[in-house]
Structure formats: C-alpha cells, structure tokens
C-alpha cells in the first residue's frame, strides 16, 4: 500500500487570504501526481496532472509545484474566495502501473469565510 | 456529452440483498474504475478495468464483483450486502495515452445497508 499524505486535514481562512497545503508521496518509482478539487455534494474534478520534477502548473488563482526527488507537492491558492471552499485531493501514480491506478491522499478540506 | 453517469443515485438495502450499480461513460475511455468513499478514509479503489472484457482488483475488492461487457459500461455488483458496505460509490474513467490522463468522476451513488 502506497503512502500518500496530505496536510493539513482542514483549513479555515478568511476571504482574500492566500493559502497552501501539502501532499507527500513516495519519492521512488514516480510517474505522475494528480490534484483534484472536490466540492461538497459534487464529484472530484481534475485540476492538474504533474509529471516533471520542478514542474509548476497554474489555473487562475490556483497553482501547484512538484518535487519528485523529495516526494512532495504544494497547492497554492492566491486570494481565497468562498467558492474555493472544497476538499483538495492529491493522487500518486507510480511508474509501470497497469490501468493508471491512483492512490489518493485523505484530502485537505478548505473553508473560506466571507 | 453526459460524461460519466451513475445509476442509481441512492439506494437502501437490507443485509443480504444484492444489487448492481451501473456506470456509463460516453468519452470512449479505455480505463474505468470503481471507488468507495468513507469518512476519514478518502477514496479507495475497489476494482478497475483497462478495457472491454477485462477487470482487476483494487485495494478493497472483497464483497464486490465487476463486469465490463461493453467499453462504455462498468458494473459493480454486491452479491450479499453488508452494513460495512454502506458508503458513497464513485465511478471514474480515463483515457489511455502516452501522458498520464486525469480521471473523470461520476456523481456518485449513496448506498445504505441496514
């Protein structure tokens, strides 16, 4: 069983605050790291798929960085808005994995207060 | 395009009853997955399929069976439901390509086993 951990488990911020959270994953046998956004009562939606060490992806106010050598990724949200409230999941994909099976972390639940 | 759809949305079963959850996707994806989501446990893979006619076990396969007779459909069966199978079940699909592809999730099926 692969160990994918996210911290913190939950986070409360005020509207306008910038925030970040962490995903830790095995540093060996790396192939890809996924980030998903999961709003309450909806289904997870893909934010980023990251494959290269040092990679940085951006989508609006959300960005992510990747360090495959030390096994972590950061997700940043600049100027949080109430609509950013959601659970953010990361998922690890090892190399040579038949079927692209992902191992998900437990998620970071973000709540943005207006 | 409907994306990934799941039937039913909600079901209540008595212990020992059987049922089948249907997942359908219209994106011509090769890979399909069934997850369960429990509080504090994140998303855990039950079974997956890399193509029509093929299935494989995931992290938590006991008590479930699956079939993929058509490329667009992936069925999850519970032969004899147990209270421990009370959960929210998500189906997902993804494209098979040279670059890791994101998974697209259905809306979920909430199952209560009494």
């Amino acid at each position: 069983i692969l160990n994918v951990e996210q911290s913190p488990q939950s986070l409360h911020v005020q509207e306008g605050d910038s925030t970040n959270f962490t995903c830790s994953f095995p540093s060996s046998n790396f192939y890809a790291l996924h980030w998903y956004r999961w709003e309450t009562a909806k289904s997870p939606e893909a934010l980023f798929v990251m494959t290269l060490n040092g990679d940085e992806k951006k989508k609006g106010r959300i960005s992510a960085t990747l360090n495959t050598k030390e096994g972590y990724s950061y997700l940043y949200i600049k100027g949080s808005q109430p609509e950013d409230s959601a659970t953010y999941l990361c998922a690890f994909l090892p190399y040579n994995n038949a079927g692209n099976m992902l191992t998900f972390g437990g998620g970071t639940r973000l709540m943005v207060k207006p | 395009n409907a994306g990934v759809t799941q039937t039913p949305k909600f079901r209540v079963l008595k212990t020992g009853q059987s049922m089948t959850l249907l997942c359908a996707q219209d994106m011509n994806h090769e890979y399909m997955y069934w997850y369960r989501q429990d509080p504090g446990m994140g998303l855990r893979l039950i079974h997956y399929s890399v193509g029509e006619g093929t299935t494989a076990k995931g992290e938590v396969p006991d008590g479930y069976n699956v079939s993929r007779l058509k490329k667009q459909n992936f069925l999850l069966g519970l032969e004899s439901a147990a209270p421990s199978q009370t959960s929210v079940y998500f189906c997902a699909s993804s494209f098979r390509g040279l670059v890791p592809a994101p998974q697209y999730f259905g809306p979920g099926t909430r199952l209560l086993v009494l």
Side-chain angles (χ1 to χ4, degrees):
Chain A
I1 296 178
L2 300 170
N3 196 22
V4 180
E5 295 187 351
Q6 292 186 246
S7 61
Q9 281 190 326
S10 64
L11 195 54
H12 290 77
V13 301
Q14 287 294 137
E15 182 175 355
D17 287 351
S18 293
T19 187
N20 65 85
F21 21 94
T22 307
C23 172
S24 300
F25 52 86
S27 56
S28 60
N29 207 28
F30 175 87
Y31 192 42
L33 193 283
H34 293 220
W35 280 100
Y36 290 84
R37 181 170 178 272
W38 192 358
E39 290 182 73
T40 302
K42 294 189 178 180
S43 49
E45 291 184 349
L47 284 171
F48 308 116
V49 179
M50 309 178 79
T51 56
L52 300 175
N53 184 44
D55 203 5
E56 184 168 341
K57 300 270 189 182
K58 191 173 180 182
K59 189 175 185 177
R61 293 179 290 98
I62 304 176
S63 60
T65 59
L66 180 68
N67 184 322
T68 60
K69 295 188 188 308
E70 296 182 44
Y72 65 84
S73 175
Y74 293 136
L75 190 80
Y76 300 91
I77 302 179
K78 186 178 177 182
S80 302
Q81 299 297 308
E83 58 264 30
D84 295 328
S85 297
T87 296
Y88 291 84
L89 298 173
C90 69
F92 173 73
L93 178 64
Y95 189 72
N96 253 354
N97 179 299
N100 281 355
M101 285 191 295
L102 298 175
T103 298
F104 283 86
T108 292
R109 188 177 176 208
L110 174 67
M111 286 153 281
V112 182
K113 300 176 188 175
Chain B
N1 285 355
V4 181
T5 58
Q6 292 182 232
T7 310
K9 287 186 171 53
F10 176 69
R11 184 78 182 266
V12 179
L13 287 180
K14 293 181 180 177
T15 298
Q17 285 185 316
S18 63
M19 78 164 292
T20 301
L21 282 66
L22 171 64
C23 174
Q25 52 95 4
D26 61 1
M27 296 174 282
N28 204 33
H29 285 168
E30 289 82 4
Y31 298 151
M32 295 187 75
Y33 313 86
W34 275 108
Y35 294 93
R36 59 178 289 173
Q37 189 254 329
D38 304 294
M41 300 293 289
L43 283 169
R44 292 184 293 167
L45 183 66
I46 305 170
H47 285 279
Y48 68 99
S49 168
V50 299
E52 183 179 323
T54 69
T55 62
K57 295 179 181 179
E59 182 187 351
V60 289
D62 294 342
Y64 305 95
N65 56 73
V66 288
S67 64
R68 185 135 180 237
L69 300 179
K70 294 182 180 181
K71 185 177 183 179
Q72 64 267 35
N73 295 339
F74 195 28
L75 278 62
L76 178 72
L78 286 72
E79 289 187 348
S80 179
S84 60
Q85 293 178 304
T86 293
S87 188
V88 182
Y89 292 86
F90 286 95
C91 176
S93 70
S94 73
F95 177 67
R96 179 179 65 197
L98 293 176
V99 178
Q103 293 186 7
Y104 294 83
F105 285 81
T109 294
R110 187 173 296 273
L111 176 65
L112 175 62
V113 183
L114 301 175

